[in-house]
Each structure stands twice: as structure tokens, then as C-alpha cells.
Amino acid sequence: MQTSPPLTAQQLAVFSSFAQTLADQVRPLSRQWFRHPLTVETKADESPVTRADREVEAALRETIAQHYPDHGIFGEEYGASHAEAEWVWSLDPIDGTRAFISGNPLWGTLLALLHRGRPVLGLIDIPMMAERWLGASGSPARLNGEPCRVSACTQLDQAILYATSPDIFDGPDLDAFDTLAGTVRMRRYGGDCYSYGLLASGHVDLVVEAGLQPYDYLALMPVIEGAGGVITDWSGQPLGLASQGRVIAAATPQLHREAMRALGRP
């Protein structure tokens, strides 16, 4: 059976440029709907969705299909197409729809490119802040074109912890998170994908969440890893399409291990 050639630096550079073109394309589209009256619908999983979410993803899909018709796409609003392809794009058009509809500017667009099921490129774009983090395999993560780096924090009692909301945890997960949150220097809520950008830039030391979908975390992985951080599930296993949606992102391996212990997953 024939196998495809390995990923090259040139390919990755081309795809990184294309991902930024995609983000540039949809930034004005999402911004025009922000703080604009919108009908909010509730999806089957009880999460909100708006016309903005759907229009942004539709535009992304159209441009990808025009340039790379053989690539697969896995998106939040319109599902998967050709998910068995060697190259698959993961799309979250508006990560933080609750923030978006409540006028909070810390929502973003997430793009990831998977090669044979592994995320090799990730982009976090925050349209209202004009901030963009880009991570690609083998390269340092960048914020608006400049290299960024995680903090050197190694201890929970010195760490700044973020989570999108305490509402994302329930049952044993909530108990575990409360135990962890009681050990850190500071805990804050909100931010959605923006918190991971802050982690990659050294302002936040730890982000812990549950209930995420692959399109929520696949784009974050190359950014966090490219900035020198660690991102896994709560058991320390690599995140993938089949992960359970529990995420630990930490500035250092030592802090990551302490967080897992505090969550009861030594």
C-alpha cells in the first residue's frame, strides 16, 4: 500500500499563510455582527448558535474547498466532510458564542490543520482585539508575528488559573476542579480560547476545562506546544478526535504534573 510523503517545512509554511488568509477573510464578517441584534438559537447540545457562527463557517468552508478541494473539513456548525482525508481542517467559527452574544469581546475564531489525524497547525484569532496566535509543528508560536513564550511557573500556589466558566464542570469533575482551584494563587473565569493565548504569551500559567469538543481544542495544541507549554487531557494523554473533552494546558511540565495530582489523576 502506498503511503504519503512526510510533512515538509515548505508545506507547513504554505498552509500557515493560507490559514492567516482565512482568518483575515472572516474577521470583518464576524465583527460586523458583534453587538448587533441577532436571533439566538439553541442546538441539540444546548449550546447557542447565531447567524454569525454559520456565516463565518460557511465562508471558511467555501475558501478551503476552492483552494484545497481534496482536504477534509470538520466544523462546529456543519459537521464533517471527507474526514478520512490526509489533510483535514478543524473549524470553530466563533469560539465563545456566549461571550459574543453578551457583548464580551474575548471570543475568537479557531482554525487547525490536521495531517493524518494530528494537529500540525493551529490559529487563534481574536477579531475585536486584533490579536492572533499561530502555532506550527517545529516552529515557535507567534503572536501577531512575534515569538511568544509561556511563563516559567512550576508551582500551583504561584499559578494563575483560568477556566471559561465553573458551569462547564459537573459531578466529580466539579469537585476535582474546586480542589485544584483552591490551591492556586489566583483563579479567573471567562476568555474561552483567549485564555490559551494568554497562556502562550506568559500571562496565565494554567487553563483547565471540561466538556470541550475537538474543534474547541485542536487549534490550541500547536500554539501552546509551540510556546513551550504542555496541553493534554486530564490523564496526561495526548488530545485527539476521540478525547473526552477534559483539557489541562500548563506553562511547564512540573506545573502540569501538579495540576493532574490536584485533579486526582496522578
Side-chain angles (χ1 to χ4, degrees):
M1 181 177 66
Q2 282 190 329
T3 58
S4 301
L7 179 66
T8 68
Q10 183 178 10
Q11 283 177 307
L12 206 50
V14 170
F15 289 139
S16 295
S17 177
F18 179 66
Q20 297 205 70
T21 298
L22 288 172
D24 287 341
Q25 174 193 354
V26 298
R27 235 190 213 187
L29 184 58
S30 59
R31 288 182 64 151
Q32 77 174 3
W33 289 113
F34 183 58
R35 295 180 180 170
H36 181 92
L38 283 170
T39 299
V40 180
E41 301 173 35
T42 301
K43 296 189 287 189
D45 64 357
E46 300 301 318
S47 64
V49 63
T50 71
R51 177 178 178 179
D53 298 82
R54 291 173 174 146
E55 287 192 1
V56 170
E57 183 168 324
L60 292 168
R61 284 175 173 268
E62 182 179 359
T63 303
I64 292 169
Q66 288 173 351
H67 289 79
Y68 298 106
D70 57 328
H71 285 198
I73 299 176
F74 175 69
E76 178 174 10
E77 306 307 333
Y78 295 108
S81 60
H82 307 297
E84 75 289 347
E86 178 182 1
W87 301 93
V88 176
W89 292 88
S90 170
L91 312 176
D92 191 344
I94 296 182
D95 181 77
T97 298
R98 290 178 176 87
F100 186 89
I101 62 180
S102 60
N104 184 322
L106 302 184
W107 47 272
T109 296
L110 298 179
L111 308 175
L113 179 61
L114 282 64
H115 183 235
R116 302 175 189 166
R118 181 174 64 90
V120 295
L121 184 152
L123 182 147
I124 305 169
D125 191 63
I126 311 297
M128 301 310 298
M129 305 296 288
E131 292 181 310
R132 179 179 299 165
W133 285 266
L134 178 68
S137 293
S139 300
R142 294 181 178 273
L143 167 59
N144 290 348
E146 296 297 323
C148 57
R149 187 74 186 174
V150 294
S151 76
C153 183
T154 60
Q155 296 177 284
L156 283 178
D157 62 4
Q158 296 299 312
I160 299 174
L161 166 68
Y162 258 75
T164 295
S165 167
D167 295 340
I168 64 177
F169 306 101
D170 56 30
D173 286 354
L174 179 57
D175 293 338
F177 178 79
D178 281 344
T179 298
L180 168 66
T183 69
V184 299
R185 177 163 68 97
M186 183 189 305
R187 62 174 170 182
R188 302 293 297 169
Y189 297 109
D192 297 282
C193 60
Y194 192 60
S195 301
Y196 295 87
L198 295 177
L199 174 61
S201 290
H203 305 297
V204 171
D205 308 304
L206 186 64
V207 183
V208 175
E209 306 206 86
L212 302 187
Q213 298 297 322
Y215 43 74
D216 292 317
Y217 57 73
L218 290 171
L220 310 174
M221 297 166 63
V223 174
I224 298 300
E225 292 169 353
V230 181
I231 181 167
T232 70
D233 69 12
W234 283 20
S235 298
Q237 297 302 307
L239 293 165
L241 289 169
S243 296
Q244 297 298 308
R246 298 180 181 90
V247 173
I248 304 175
T252 62
Q254 299 95 318
L255 186 62
H256 183 268
R257 286 194 294 270
E258 285 204 13
M260 282 202 302
R261 282 196 291 269
L263 290 168
R265 284 146 170 94

